Amino acid sequence: MGAIAMTTKNHTFKTVSRKVLNHKALNYKTLTLGALAIGAVVGGMLFLRPNKAEVAPIIPAATAATPTPAVVKKPIFVQYHSIDDAPTHERKALAQQAQRLARTGSTSGGELTFEFKQATHAKMTYRFGRKQRLTFKPITPVLPAGFVLTGRQYEGKPIQVEGRSTYLGWYRLFENPDTKARIEISETQLSADAPIVLYRELMNETLANTPVQFETLHDKKGVVYHNAKFAKGDRLVQISSKGVAREQILAMVAQALAD
């Protein structure tokens, strides 16, 4: 009986031990499968996660578009062309002027044309006329010693600015009472809507980086005259002299351009 009881107990012990082992094995297998499943999920997430370097930065939406500044074109008042580009009906006359300027020192071949034709009328309007408004600020010439203003007149048809007549052109006459020498200065307002054309072949001097047409001629008495024509900003300027040295007129022009 004792042997039978011992055998029964051993069988029971083995059965229990086998169940325990089977239960542990089952738990181990379950844990292993669970770990593998979790690892697969985590690995998949890591694999599918985008690389940091490939992640596009988040750019906040602009609150308002920044306007592009408008390009303001500088107005053009004068154009320098070649005589070859002049209209056909003007080309021959311009070429002759260039030839005379090179040969004689003046486009007229030494003949006086417009010089001081306005002097008498300018003296009258300066003495009896009123000072008027201009559309521009005139140049302030540095005159040779002894010259004074003796004539003034306004040129062109006036325009209305703030209800007042305003002129586009101005003429001034300066004289030296001791030497009888004269200097006249004409200024005309230019328009960017219709730029004037100056021809390079007729601009035989360069002062203050500006092309200048400079002429020298004599009257019948041998008195020397000089003419200088140039563009300064929005104005066309012409200076003529009688009985004044070339160097003095060139200095006046250079100063007017540099002012």
Side-chain angles (χ1 to χ4, degrees):
M1 290 295 289
I4 294 172
M6 181 65 69
T7 300
T8 302
K9 288 181 179 179
N10 289 336
H11 177 73
T12 301
F13 177 76
K14 290 179 179 180
T15 301
V16 172
S17 298
R18 191 179 297 115
K19 289 182 177 180
V20 171
L21 291 174
N22 290 338
H23 181 70
K24 288 183 176 179
L26 181 61
N27 289 340
Y28 178 77
K29 184 177 181 180
T30 302
L31 291 173
T32 302
L33 292 174
L36 290 174
I38 294 173
V41 173
V42 173
M45 293 176 64
L46 293 174
F47 179 79
L48 295 175
R49 186 183 65 180
N51 192 313
K52 289 184 178 180
E54 298 176 354
V55 176
I58 299 176
I59 302 175
T63 56
T66 302
T68 302
V71 178
V72 180
K73 293 184 178 181
K74 185 177 181 180
I76 298 175
F77 299 97
V78 60
Q79 297 176 345
Y80 296 95
H81 291 183
S82 170
I83 290 177
D84 294 336
D85 300 325
T88 304
H89 66 281
E90 297 179 5
R91 202 172 300 164
K92 182 178 179 180
L94 290 169
Q96 291 174 346
Q97 289 181 24
Q99 292 172 1
R100 287 194 292 265
L101 180 62
R103 188 177 69 253
T104 68
S106 69
T107 57
S108 65
E111 295 183 8
L112 296 177
T113 53
F114 61 87
E115 293 81 5
F116 300 99
K117 299 296 184 182
Q118 304 176 65
T120 301
H121 187 267
K123 285 186 175 184
M124 295 294 292
T125 56
Y126 177 60
R127 181 175 299 180
F128 302 108
R130 296 184 304 168
K131 191 172 183 179
Q132 304 290 342
R133 298 178 68 186
L134 296 169
T135 57
F136 56 89
K137 181 181 179 182
I139 63 174
T140 305
V142 177
L143 301 167
F147 279 83
V148 294
L149 179 66
T150 58
R152 176 187 64 214
Q153 71 177 19
Y154 300 90
E155 301 178 320
K157 185 178 180 180
I159 62 175
Q160 294 297 313
V161 177
E162 298 178 354
R164 296 178 60 182
S165 293
T166 306
Y167 286 83
L168 302 171
W170 197 29
Y171 170 93
R172 285 173 290 175
L173 175 68
F174 303 89
E175 295 181 287
N176 186 322
D178 297 327
T179 63
K180 307 302 180 183
R182 288 179 164 186
I183 295 174
E184 62 181 1
I185 302 176
S186 295
E187 295 180 73
T188 304
Q189 176 82 57
L190 301 177
S191 171
D193 295 331
I196 66 166
V197 175
L198 296 178
Y199 293 97
R200 289 190 291 269
E201 292 87 344
L202 300 178
M203 315 307 284
N204 56 342
E205 292 284 349
T206 300
L207 299 172
N209 297 319
T210 303
V212 177
Q213 178 180 308
F214 193 86
E215 302 177 89
T216 300
L217 55 163
H218 302 79
D219 63 13
K220 294 179 181 180
K221 296 180 180 181
V223 179
V224 65
Y225 289 72
H226 297 296
N227 295 325
K229 182 169 70 174
F230 56 91
K232 175 180 170 61
D234 61 349
R235 280 163 291 154
L236 180 66
V237 182
Q238 181 132 357
I239 300 176
S240 297
S241 68
K242 174 184 177 183
V244 183
R246 169 188 172 92
E247 293 73 18
Q248 290 179 306
I249 298 302
L250 288 174
M252 279 185 60
V253 174
Q255 178 270 328
L257 287 169
D259 187 7

